[in-house]
Amino acid sequence: MVRLILDSSSGGYPVLIGTNLNRNLRDVVTRLDPTGAAIVTDSNVRPWALKVGKAIKRAGLKTGIHAIPAGERSKSMTQLQSVLAFLERQRIDRGGIVIAVGGGTVGDLAGLAASMWQRGVRLVSVPTTLLAMVDSSIGGKTGVNGRRSKNAIGTFWQPSAVISDIAAIESLPEPAYRDAFAEVVKYAVAMDRSLFDLLQRNSPRLLERDSSMLERVVFRCVAAKALIVAKDERDRGPRAILNYGHTAGHALEAATAFRVTHGRAVAFGMRVAARISVSMDLCSKRVAESQDGLLTALGLPDKPPHADPKRVLAAVALDKKARRGKVAWVMPRRIGHAEIGHAVPGALVRRVITRSLA
Ligand SMILES: NC(=O)c1ccc[n+]([C@@H]2O[C@H](COP(=O)([O-])OP(=O)(O)OC[C@H]3O[C@@H](n4cnc5c(N)ncnc54)[C@H](O)[C@@H]3O)[C@@H](O)[C@H]2O)c1
Ligand SMILES: [Zn+2]
């Protein structure tokens, strides 16, 4: 098991990464000394939440479990209300805690509810997907979707503890598992050369879900994200580096009405960004080739997704990270280092995206 302490404006909090951590979870919760605990999960993760519930009961706390329907559609105002009503039924007061057991969907929704209930109660995050472990459980962004816009309604609310139990990953469906590697490669290419080397050397072990290797990889990703979040908790500047691959990625998701999954879309987006970077002489061809090779080795092949280039390009122009019409591309310079703030000519974007979809 590894333990990190992450800094945030609301104080440091522990992140535990390891296998079969229910006893550690109990200890962490005991230390928080809450007046009550309420577990939020989804319909697929309920068995895991039951185990968490047992551990909490051993800490001498009464707790209830509320399961939302699995899936992104639950990031809604309706489900937010259902979670808030649950916290009220559970009589969670200002000393209580919300425990989110699930992937990013549960984490974002329960985090938002925790930040609102009683003007904010503590949140313990128990991520059960690889994506949630490496990405959504860290950094304090919570949210639900608007009618048309993703994550439109949300808050910044840092957790009081994160317990990433690698054992949960065993039952994760293969597509969700593979998809998360897009974010893992993102950290490696944009920020961490030695993570990149580790991934290159161990892709077969990772595809087999080797838990000690996963523990190392999750640790490195959490450390990378924490470093950036500590500099820019509210996402006003340097945190934009974490958007690597997401400019063309989000555009592809929007242009295909989310038929292309987030991980696949981000992998596509990183391939596009690297090609643009090569064309602008910002990085060598070798950089793009090794990135693309690693994506393929981790189960994110480069088969072009079915999408209309015109729609993708229109969506790039609408990118929500754009300021005054300038799209904020993140450009790799070498493995382990990407930069923001390079002006990318529109004609080049059109050429690369059109070719990448051919
Ligand atoms: N807050 C942030 O900073 C941040 C960052 C990245 C993504 N996100 C959000 O995270 C969400 C995606 O997260 P996700 O990929 O974890 O999706 P998810 O939470 O919807 O989980 C994917 C599927 O796997 C199931 N599942 C979860 N854990 C499982 C397990 N251990 N075994 C079997 N099945 C399991 C879920 O029920 C669901 O059907 C998106 O809504 C995205 O916007 C947030
Ligand atoms: Zn992402």
Side-chain angles (χ1 to χ4, degrees):
M1 202 251 310
V2 285
R3 185 190 169 94
L4 295 91
I5 303 290
L6 300 199
D7 270 341
S8 83
S9 54
S10 42
Y13 63 91
V15 178
L16 272 50
I17 303 159
T19 309
N20 298 322
L21 297 182
N22 272 343
R23 184 175 296 187
N24 306 76
L25 171 69
R26 188 183 69 197
D27 294 345
V28 165
V29 168
T30 305
R31 232 168 281 140
L32 292 173
D33 192 22
T35 51
I39 297 175
V40 179
T41 190
D42 78 25
S43 45
N44 291 334
V45 199
R46 197 190 262 279
W48 196 259
L50 286 170
K51 283 189 197 158
V52 169
K54 271 194 194 145
I56 300 299
K57 282 197 182 118
R58 279 197 210 104
L61 272 172
K62 271 216 325 220
T63 177
I65 297 180
H66 178 71
I68 58 162
E72 178 75 23
R73 282 181 60 127
S74 280
K75 276 177 55 174
S76 66
M77 293 303 285
T78 311
Q79 289 306 328
L80 175 64
Q81 260 179 355
S82 84
V83 174
L84 291 169
F86 165 65
L87 300 183
E88 186 164 43
R89 282 198 305 280
Q90 294 294 116
R91 299 175 197 259
I92 296 297
D93 64 19
R94 293 185 64 188
I97 56 173
V98 173
I99 306 178
V101 183
T105 298
V106 167
D108 282 9
L109 175 68
L112 178 55
S115 74
M116 295 170 80
W117 181 246
Q118 305 289 327
R119 300 203 176 84
V121 295
R122 288 169 296 173
L123 171 72
V124 172
S125 189
V126 182
T128 62
T129 64
L130 180 57
L131 181 103
M133 291 180 195
V134 301
D135 193 353
S136 61
S137 66
I138 306 298
K141 284 188 184 177
T142 79
V144 295
N145 300 324
R147 284 240 172 104
R148 276 185 290 269
S149 34
K150 207 170 138 61
N151 297 329
I153 307 148
T155 54
F156 285 100
W157 192 247
Q158 300 293 340
S160 295
V162 179
I163 318 289
S164 284
D165 196 329
I166 302 290
I169 290 178
E170 239 171 72
S171 57
L172 202 60
E174 189 64 19
Y177 179 70
R178 298 250 172 132
D179 246 47
F181 279 104
E183 307 289 353
V184 173
V185 173
K186 172 190 84 176
Y187 293 118
V189 173
M191 300 179 63
D192 186 346
R193 155 120 231 175
S194 61
L195 172 60
F196 192 92
D197 296 339
L198 183 75
L199 296 170
Q200 260 189 335
R201 284 197 307 274
N202 294 288
S203 50
R205 275 176 78 182
L206 285 165
L207 289 183
E208 286 162 14
R209 308 193 189 194
D210 178 290
S211 48
S212 65
M213 188 49 59
L214 275 169
E215 188 176 312
R216 284 174 73 182
V217 166
V218 171
F219 169 75
R220 299 302 293 256
C221 294
V222 170
K225 182 157 184 182
L227 200 71
I228 286 289
V229 172
K231 284 189 200 156
D232 180 18
E233 202 171 298
R234 299 231 152 202
D235 202 2
R236 306 256 182 252
R239 191 164 171 173
I241 201 93
L242 299 177
N243 211 40
Y244 178 49
H246 283 62
T247 307
H250 282 148
L252 179 62
E253 285 183 288
T256 59
F258 293 90
R259 268 195 323 278
V260 178
T261 61
H262 184 67
R264 298 257 156 184
V266 170
F268 168 81
M270 290 191 286
R271 291 177 193 272
V272 164
R275 270 170 217 167
I276 292 176
S277 194
V278 172
S279 297
M280 289 175 69
D281 265 340
L282 292 171
C283 78
S284 70
K285 216 170 164 190
R286 283 236 319 266
V287 168
E289 283 167 1
S290 22
Q291 166 191 277
D292 294 0
L294 180 60
L295 286 169
T296 303
L298 289 169
L300 293 157
D302 63 356
K303 190 168 159 286
H306 266 297
D308 176 357
K310 281 204 190 74
R311 286 199 175 184
V312 178
L313 287 163
V316 166
L318 292 175
D319 189 88
K320 69 173 174 183
K321 299 263 152 92
R323 294 271 176 284
R324 298 198 181 89
K326 282 221 166 73
V327 177
W329 287 91
V330 183
M331 292 284 104
R333 298 300 308 268
R334 51 181 186 274
I335 296 296
H337 181 78
E339 287 172 1
I340 42 186
H342 291 278
V344 179
L348 178 59
V349 174
R350 279 194 291 282
R351 197 173 76 220
V352 171
I353 287 190
T354 310
R355 277 195 196 156
S356 303
L357 287 170

